[in-house]
Amino acid sequence: MKEREKRVLVGMSGGIDSSAACIMLQEQGYEVVGVTMRTWDVASHFTPGNDQPNEVIEAQELAARLGIEHHVADVRTEFRQVIVQYFIDEYMRGRTPNPCVMCNPLFKERILCEWADKCNCAWIATGHYCQLKDLNGYRYILTGDDPLKDQSYFLWKLPQEILKRMMFPLGGMTKASVRDYLASKGFEAKARGGESMEICFIEKDYREFLKEHCPDIDERIGPGWFVDSKGLKLGQHKGFAYYTIGQRKGLEIALGKPAYVLKINPAKNTVMLGDADQLKTYYMLVEDYNVTSLEELLNCKELSVRIRYRSRSIPCRVILLDNGQLLIRFEQEASAITPGQSAVFYEGNRVLGGGFIASQQAIKKIAAENEAKFL
């Protein structure tokens, strides 16, 4: 191998997974270069007296111990402009954002590619729990072997040019085995470390975050009405941006029975409430999709889709509508279809692609008009 082919850039967060990935790749004979992105400063991540967050310091300490080259990429301004603004904008549109899905292709992996080129690295590696497979000239993401940690759901937007440079050293391991591996290499304290937050830039409730970073939100939106499925007013809410599809807790309205958010209408500032059965459906619209092969997706006989990170995979069929959207028919009832979230398609453990769940307005009419195409 040429020198460049031996060099791999690892995204180092200072945590368990990226640390294990560095050690493993080094053992496999690669020359590891680490880069830690400083994206968003969270107060609880700083030790008094330090001007760098703990994750940066921990990554630097690991790099020094392993004797590897390490860099810090200060991308806080761009992260705020790209990822955090997307997060805020989606809620202001009455949708529920998927920041991790957007962050991987638009931000982290793109920056890793730039740093890999700067550092003369052919490869890029992360601590994600997923795997890769080359088939028919394409590189596909496969689910990780640990079903509780599989992160393939978040990576559907990655383009082929990035995937063909990627490595996921932990994909064939469980979290427990990664901890054991770290401990066996003399990193017992690191192996016992805790998990990172689901959304890295939010410490508490997203509603508090919206108020802090969009201080005029209550002036721009203001109170609106809870309505039932017939449009009858049930009571006032605080503003549509503070609610998500399927939400039951925190509605602060007494109807004498459990109520769930069924729909959000930002144009009218209304939030429709109903019972759990009204959340169920056999159809879904998806837009802005990225698939390895559209023909393969449309003709797949063993297709399934996940509509949330932790949700089960639901068998389905897909057709392409004239407006470019995908219409999905579930083989089993699904619940709480949430615009803005990701729908990720699988054939077995292989990711075929994904898209964003679109507005489900007029879904019954659209489904009825196109039902014959599924036969």
Side-chain angles (χ1 to χ4, degrees):
M1 286 193 294
K2 296 179 181 179
E3 181 183 354
R4 177 180 167 85
E5 290 296 311
K6 292 182 180 180
R7 288 171 63 85
V8 55
L9 185 83
V10 179
M12 295 179 66
S13 67
I16 296 168
D17 300 328
S18 62
S19 298
C22 286
I23 299 168
M24 198 171 298
L25 289 166
Q26 196 175 51
E27 285 191 331
Q28 292 172 9
Y30 287 97
E31 186 177 350
V32 175
V33 179
V35 64
T36 303
M37 295 180 209
R38 187 171 176 180
T39 56
W40 190 265
D41 289 345
V42 178
S44 62
H45 288 198
F46 283 78
T47 300
N50 289 336
D51 61 357
Q52 295 265 35
N54 296 337
E55 52 264 32
V56 170
I57 293 171
E58 289 181 21
Q60 289 172 332
E61 290 173 349
L62 179 77
R65 187 168 167 183
L66 296 178
I68 65 176
E69 182 183 333
H70 180 265
H71 304 273
V72 177
D74 189 341
V75 291
R76 286 174 290 178
T77 299
E78 189 178 358
F79 185 83
R80 172 64 176 84
Q81 293 170 343
V82 177
I83 303 304
V84 175
Q85 194 59 50
Y86 151 79
F87 181 84
I88 293 170
D89 290 346
E90 282 290 89
Y91 275 114
M92 296 297 280
R93 294 174 60 198
R95 293 160 60 93
T96 303
N98 237 164
C100 295
V101 166
M102 292 297 285
C103 189
N104 282 297
L106 287 183
F107 203 80
K108 289 185 176 178
E109 269 69 10
R110 177 178 58 79
I111 289 170
L112 286 178
C113 280
E114 292 172 0
W115 275 89
D117 291 338
K118 286 181 189 178
C119 297
N120 196 34
C121 296
W123 305 101
I124 302 160
T126 66
H128 285 98
Y129 285 82
C130 51
Q131 303 176 85
L132 294 165
K133 181 178 182 178
D134 293 320
L135 184 67
N136 299 327
Y138 296 109
R139 176 158 287 188
Y140 290 89
I141 296 170
L142 305 182
T143 57
D145 280 358
D146 187 341
L148 297 178
K149 293 299 298 180
D150 167 50
Q151 293 169 301
S152 60
Y153 174 86
F154 295 116
L155 302 178
W156 62 265
K157 279 185 71 68
L158 285 178
Q160 285 292 306
E161 58 266 28
I162 290 181
L163 281 178
K164 289 183 177 180
R165 297 183 72 176
M166 292 296 300
M167 293 181 177
F168 300 122
L170 310 186
M173 303 175 72
T174 64
K175 185 74 174 194
S177 64
V178 170
R179 289 183 185 273
D180 290 343
Y181 172 77
L182 267 180
S184 73
K185 299 300 176 182
F187 295 86
E188 293 87 353
K190 179 71 67 180
R192 295 192 299 269
E195 297 281 9
S196 59
M197 294 179 289
E198 285 277 325
I199 300 178
C200 66
F201 55 89
I202 294 182
E203 285 193 280
K204 298 177 182 177
D205 188 271
Y206 83 88
R207 297 163 185 85
E208 295 179 21
F209 185 89
L210 288 178
K211 286 184 176 181
E212 180 182 353
H213 296 279
C214 189
D216 63 344
I217 186 171
D218 291 331
E219 296 174 18
R220 291 169 60 183
I221 296 178
W225 290 102
F226 285 122
V227 298
D228 64 14
S229 57
K230 296 179 181 178
L232 297 176
K233 294 178 180 177
L234 302 173
Q236 277 201 319
H237 62 67
K238 296 179 179 179
F240 68 80
Y242 298 132
Y243 304 91
T244 60
I245 303 297
Q247 180 180 339
R248 181 173 67 86
K249 296 181 180 179
L251 299 179
E252 299 180 1
I253 185 172
L255 299 177
K257 61 179 181 178
Y260 298 80
V261 174
L262 304 182
K263 292 181 181 178
I264 296 170
N265 188 329
K268 296 182 178 180
N269 194 11
T270 58
V271 176
M272 184 185 295
L273 302 181
D275 59 38
D277 283 343
Q278 290 175 280
L279 283 169
K280 297 177 181 178
T281 181
Y282 279 97
Y283 296 93
M284 172 177 70
L285 291 169
V286 169
E287 61 189 3
D288 298 333
Y289 52 86
N290 173 55
V291 296
T292 306
S293 166
L294 183 57
E295 183 179 0
E296 180 183 33
L297 180 77
L298 297 176
N299 293 295
C300 182
K301 303 300 182 184
E302 302 294 330
L303 188 66
S304 64
V305 64
R306 284 164 62 181
I307 59 173
R308 283 178 288 278
Y309 171 41
R310 297 293 187 185
S311 72
R312 62 188 172 89
S313 193
I314 307 170
C316 68
R317 293 286 303 279
V318 176
I319 60 171
L320 179 64
L321 300 179
D322 291 341
N323 66 359
Q325 290 184 326
L326 300 176
L327 175 63
I328 288 79
R329 185 182 71 179
F330 303 109
E331 302 299 328
Q332 303 162 6
E333 232 174 10
S335 181
I337 304 301
T338 307
Q341 289 286 290
S342 289
V344 183
F345 300 103
Y346 294 81
E347 182 185 41
N349 70 339
R350 183 165 58 106
V351 177
L352 301 187
F356 289 108
I357 298 174
S359 166
Q360 303 300 296
Q361 187 173 2
I363 184 66
K364 291 183 179 178
K365 180 175 182 289
I366 295 168
E369 292 172 349
N370 291 277
E371 175 60 32
K373 298 177 183 178
F374 286 107
L375 302 179

